[in-house]
């Protein structure tokens, strides 16, 4: 779950980056007594994510700023929808505007893209998940956005689970023995996942009896079907590698349990949201 302290840490860094010595323009031109009223307006349809992030970003500099949220995370909206209302000292609203928009636009873009991928696999048992290909420092926010779009999360970090990828396997002399020993050495609660890029590698992994998930990386559709059949119920089967919106439905129909899509976070377009402000 996305925690408030995580949001505050990201917002504080972003605000400091954007105005390390204050907002020179607003301090120079905007009267200290001016009050701003603003609406967060959608310029295009989408799936909302980042309600609390927007609220914290707008109010972090000044507790006199008030945010009324009109949409919740996961809500779908049309072009022209008002997602939140902001009111408070104009200087504070103007200084926080860009950071708040940058974060909520990116998160909403991720949620919207994720929802399209999830819709594409409807009717199958496949689960759409993200990857660690996130923006440094924004992983907690971006992964929350994936969930807002109906997707699921992969391991959060390198510390969460064993995941032996191709570069690991390349330096392990005996994969079967290494995986068996890992199962002995690790706590029983620790999950082990192994990535393979050829059907021929499956026997060594399956013989270990240690893998809870096996990732079939860059497999063709026929290879995926063969992999699913061979693995059976001995492990969760994950498909990965260059999967797009055009191909994900076919991948899902091969019978895989999980489809990981790096594009959900590394290639997303920020959704067009605007803060329409009037100052009195």
């Amino acid at each position: 779950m996305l925690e408030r302290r995580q949001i505050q840490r990201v917002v504080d860094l972003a605000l400091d980056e954007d105005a390390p010595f204050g907002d020179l323009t607003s301090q120079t031109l905007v009267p200290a007594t001016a009050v701003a009223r603003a609406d967060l307006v959608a310029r295009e349809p989408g799936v909302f994510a980042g309600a609390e992030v927007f609220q914290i970003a707008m109010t972090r500099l000044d507790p006199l700023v008030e945010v009324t949220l009109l949409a919740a995370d996961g809500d779908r909206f049309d072009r022209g929808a008002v997602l939140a209302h902001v009111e408070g000292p104009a200087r504070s609203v103007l200084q926080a505007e860009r950071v708040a928009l940058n974060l909520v636009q990116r998160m909403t873009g991720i949620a919207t893209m994720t929802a399209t991928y999830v819709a594409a696999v409807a009717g199958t048992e496949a689960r759409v998940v993200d990857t660690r290909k996130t923006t440094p420092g924004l992983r907690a926010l971006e992964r929350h956005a994936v969930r807002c779009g109906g997707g699921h999360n992969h391991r959060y970090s390198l510390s969460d689970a064993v995941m032996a990828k191709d570069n690991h396997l390349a330096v392990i002399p005996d994969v079967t023995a290494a995986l068996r020993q890992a199962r002995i050495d690790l706590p029983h609660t620790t999950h082990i996942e192994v990535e393979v890029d050829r059907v021929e590698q499956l026997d060594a992994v399956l013989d270990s009896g240690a893998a809870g998930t096996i990732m079939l990386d860059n497999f063709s559709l026929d290879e995926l079907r063969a992999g699913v059949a061979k693995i059976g119920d001995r492990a969760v089967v994950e498909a990965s590698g260059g999967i797009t919106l055009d191909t994900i439905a076919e991948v899902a129909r091969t019978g895989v349990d999980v489809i990981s899509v790096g594009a959900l976070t590394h290639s997303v377009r920020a959704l067009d949201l605007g803060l329409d402000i009037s100052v009195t």
Side-chain angles (χ1 to χ4, degrees):
M1 298 296 292
L2 184 59
E3 297 181 1
R4 190 173 182 85
R5 63 180 180 82
Q6 294 174 305
I7 301 172
Q8 291 172 337
R9 183 166 60 243
V10 170
V11 167
D12 287 346
L13 288 171
L15 289 169
D16 184 63
E17 176 185 63
D18 202 40
F21 308 108
D23 177 2
L24 186 60
T25 305
S26 296
Q27 291 168 351
T28 302
L29 300 177
V30 178
T33 56
V35 174
R37 295 177 178 83
D39 289 329
L40 178 64
V41 180
R43 311 289 194 224
E44 57 182 316
V47 177
F48 194 48
E52 188 178 13
V53 174
F54 179 78
Q55 186 173 48
I56 290 174
M58 290 303 308
T59 60
R60 191 69 169 157
L61 291 170
D62 189 342
L64 295 178
V65 176
E66 296 182 356
V67 175
T68 303
L69 295 169
L70 304 176
D73 285 351
D75 284 355
R76 292 181 178 272
F77 56 83
D78 296 322
R79 182 178 182 274
V82 178
L83 306 173
H85 179 73
V86 180
E87 186 168 341
R91 287 182 176 180
S92 300
V93 172
L94 290 166
Q95 183 170 335
E97 172 190 9
R98 185 70 269 153
V99 165
L101 281 176
N102 283 351
L103 293 173
V104 76
Q105 284 179 308
R106 180 163 182 80
M107 292 181 70
T108 300
I110 290 171
T112 302
M113 178 182 282
T114 300
T116 63
Y117 275 81
V118 171
V121 302
T124 73
E125 298 298 320
R127 169 182 288 201
V128 177
V129 306
D130 53 22
T131 71
R132 284 173 41 247
K133 296 175 182 177
T134 53
T135 307
L138 297 184
R139 181 170 295 174
L141 274 61
E142 293 182 348
R143 293 203 140 175
H144 175 78
V146 167
R147 295 195 298 274
C148 292
H152 298 267
N153 298 143
H154 212 292
R155 61 173 178 161
Y156 186 82
S157 72
L158 292 173
S159 303
D160 293 341
V162 171
M163 186 168 173
K165 296 176 73 69
D166 53 353
N167 286 340
H168 298 104
L169 299 183
V171 297
I172 298 174
D174 187 333
V175 171
T176 302
L179 290 173
R180 284 176 179 165
Q181 190 61 48
R183 185 71 284 166
I184 293 169
D185 294 341
L186 290 167
H188 70 281
T189 55
T190 304
H191 192 79
I192 297 176
E193 177 167 358
V194 182
E195 173 190 282
V196 299
D197 53 24
R198 301 188 310 278
V199 174
E200 295 75 33
Q201 295 175 306
L202 281 174
D203 283 334
V205 177
L206 291 169
D207 287 348
S208 73
T213 300
I214 299 176
M215 177 195 290
L216 309 180
D217 188 46
N218 287 305
F219 274 39
S220 69
L221 294 175
D222 286 341
E223 289 171 335
L224 285 173
R225 282 186 281 267
V228 168
K230 189 175 184 67
I231 296 167
D233 60 1
R234 289 184 283 179
V236 172
V237 183
E238 177 181 341
S240 185
I243 296 168
T244 69
L245 194 56
D246 293 331
T247 62
I248 192 169
E250 290 183 305
V251 171
R253 286 193 288 268
T254 65
V256 297
D257 303 299
V258 174
I259 303 174
S260 51
V261 183
L264 297 181
T265 53
H266 73 59
S267 298
V268 71
R269 176 182 67 83
L271 209 77
D272 191 3
L273 308 176
L275 196 65
D276 295 343
I277 297 179
S278 61
V279 179
T280 58

